[in-house]
Amino acid sequence: MKFDILTLFPDLFHAFLQESILGRAVKRGLVDIKLTDIRSFARGPHRVTDDRPYGGGNGMVMKPGPVYRALQAVDRPKGKSLVVLLTPQGKTFEQSKAWELSRLDQLILICGRYEGVDERIRKGLADMELSIGDYVLSGGELGAMVVIDAVSRLLPGVLGGENSATDDSFEDGLLEYPHYTRPQVFKGKNVPSVLLSGDHEKIRLWRRTESLKRTLERRPDLLKKTKLKQEDEAILTKLLETKKSKE
Ligand code: SAM
């Protein structure tokens, strides 16, 4: 899959694109990431990319021309391609959206700065607007990294078999169960004995129960949206009974 990032700060991405899972995916050619410096599409001796807002008010606005020309210069191989504008006013990015985007051939991400990009870019050129949460960042670069990271790990081969994403939180609408590794005892605290039992069915059931318990405690909103299996319903009923008896 190809990612194109349009930004005024391409240097912010270097370590992110070279390290760990994403770095390996880039090296193995599973993802192709191109950085486009919007400033190099600005005109005039000072290559100005922002200007004062019409109507007055605080801050500066990213001029539409450099963003437009940067977008025109992006190489678009055949296939499904989408232009995404990062903005706190967009739809909140979730795991289901990550899956949807992972089916594309190319994702073009526009990172805003200052008060954001001129409205005519948003209206005329962006296919989708995404927010990474209800807070305001100084720029869209962190948002672009979040989207690239979440989408890449869903692409075939990026995580490798043993690290598949299928058990991860949100994959089946629940939070994931807790994890333990060596040592068996840490600061007097033991690993749950079921995980040492070697009994795969017992471990599966324990993990499913923990997953449901965590979701019930921390994100009950997720349970309302999730279609639960019969086994899950039975576990949940028990968990709710236990909770009630403690109250
Ligand atoms: N004035 C804008 C507003 O109130 O909606 C906020 C602009 S913000 C300071 C600058 C840029 O950071 C935005 O254009 C956007 O690209 C990025 N940004 C900020 N918060 C974001 C968020 N929660 N999700 C995605 N991008 C964000």
Side-chain angles (χ1 to χ4, degrees):
M1 178 166 179
K2 184 170 186 261
F3 293 96
D4 284 276
I5 307 162
L6 274 59
T7 170
L8 285 170
F9 297 95
D11 288 349
L12 286 177
F13 288 89
H14 294 316
F16 168 69
L17 298 179
Q18 280 166 23
E19 301 291 334
S20 190
I21 292 171
L22 193 59
R24 282 198 297 276
V26 170
K27 275 191 202 115
R28 289 164 61 207
L30 298 171
V31 296
D32 177 18
I33 304 184
K34 288 255 152 18
L35 286 159
T36 297
D37 186 351
I38 297 171
R39 192 170 304 283
S40 59
F41 292 89
R43 292 189 174 140
H46 301 296
R47 295 199 177 274
V48 175
T49 58
D50 58 307
D51 208 335
R52 285 168 293 137
Y54 276 118
N58 287 333
M60 300 295 269
V61 178
M62 277 175 75
K63 288 160 75 65
V67 180
Y68 174 79
R69 289 189 288 278
L71 205 49
Q72 295 295 101
V74 168
D75 183 33
R76 295 205 192 194
K78 273 207 179 106
K80 283 177 274 168
S81 157
L82 206 74
V83 177
V84 170
L85 175 67
L86 277 312
T87 161
Q89 302 181 16
K91 197 165 188 285
T92 308
F93 182 61
E94 291 183 350
Q95 189 69 5
S96 54
K97 185 59 76 183
W99 271 111
E100 192 186 312
L101 298 181
S102 75
R103 293 177 196 111
L104 296 170
D105 298 292
Q106 182 180 27
L107 193 57
I108 304 167
L109 298 154
I110 305 176
C111 306
R113 280 271 156 177
Y114 319 118
E115 290 303 322
V117 297
D118 184 288
E119 184 70 1
R120 289 161 291 185
I121 293 292
R122 185 190 74 74
K123 275 192 180 153
L125 297 171
D127 300 311
M128 184 185 286
E129 293 169 56
L130 287 181
S131 161
I132 60 160
D134 287 350
Y135 38 78
V136 177
L137 302 162
S138 310
E141 288 76 12
L142 286 171
M145 289 184 210
V146 166
V147 172
I148 292 171
D149 190 305
V151 172
S152 301
R153 53 186 284 115
L154 303 178
L155 299 175
V158 168
L159 287 187
E162 77 210 44
N163 281 323
S164 127
T166 50
D167 275 355
D168 279 343
S169 296
F170 311 113
E171 279 306 322
D172 58 359
L174 303 180
L175 300 182
E176 200 186 20
Y177 49 81
H179 296 282
Y180 294 87
T181 185
R182 278 147 200 83
Q184 202 173 313
V185 184
F186 178 70
K187 305 271 181 208
K189 290 199 166 66
N190 274 293
V191 169
S193 57
V194 62
L195 297 178
L196 310 171
S197 69
D199 185 330
H200 296 302
E201 178 51 19
K202 268 195 190 156
I203 293 173
R204 185 196 67 77
L205 201 61
W206 180 85
R207 286 183 165 160
R208 195 67 192 166
T209 306
E210 288 300 310
S211 178
L212 283 156
K213 196 167 150 191
R214 283 211 153 175
T215 313
L216 182 66
E217 283 165 3
R218 300 176 187 201
R219 293 292 305 275
D221 58 304
L222 292 178
L223 288 173
K224 286 188 195 128
K225 293 191 261 175
T226 307
K227 201 167 173 338
L228 294 174
K229 288 181 266 175
Q230 235 180 336
E231 179 190 65
D232 295 335
E233 297 280 8
I235 298 172
L236 209 54
T237 308
K238 263 196 195 160
L239 287 172
L240 286 166
E241 279 167 9
T242 316
K243 199 175 161 216
K244 246 191 185 167
S245 68
K246 281 185 186 159
E247 283 167 4

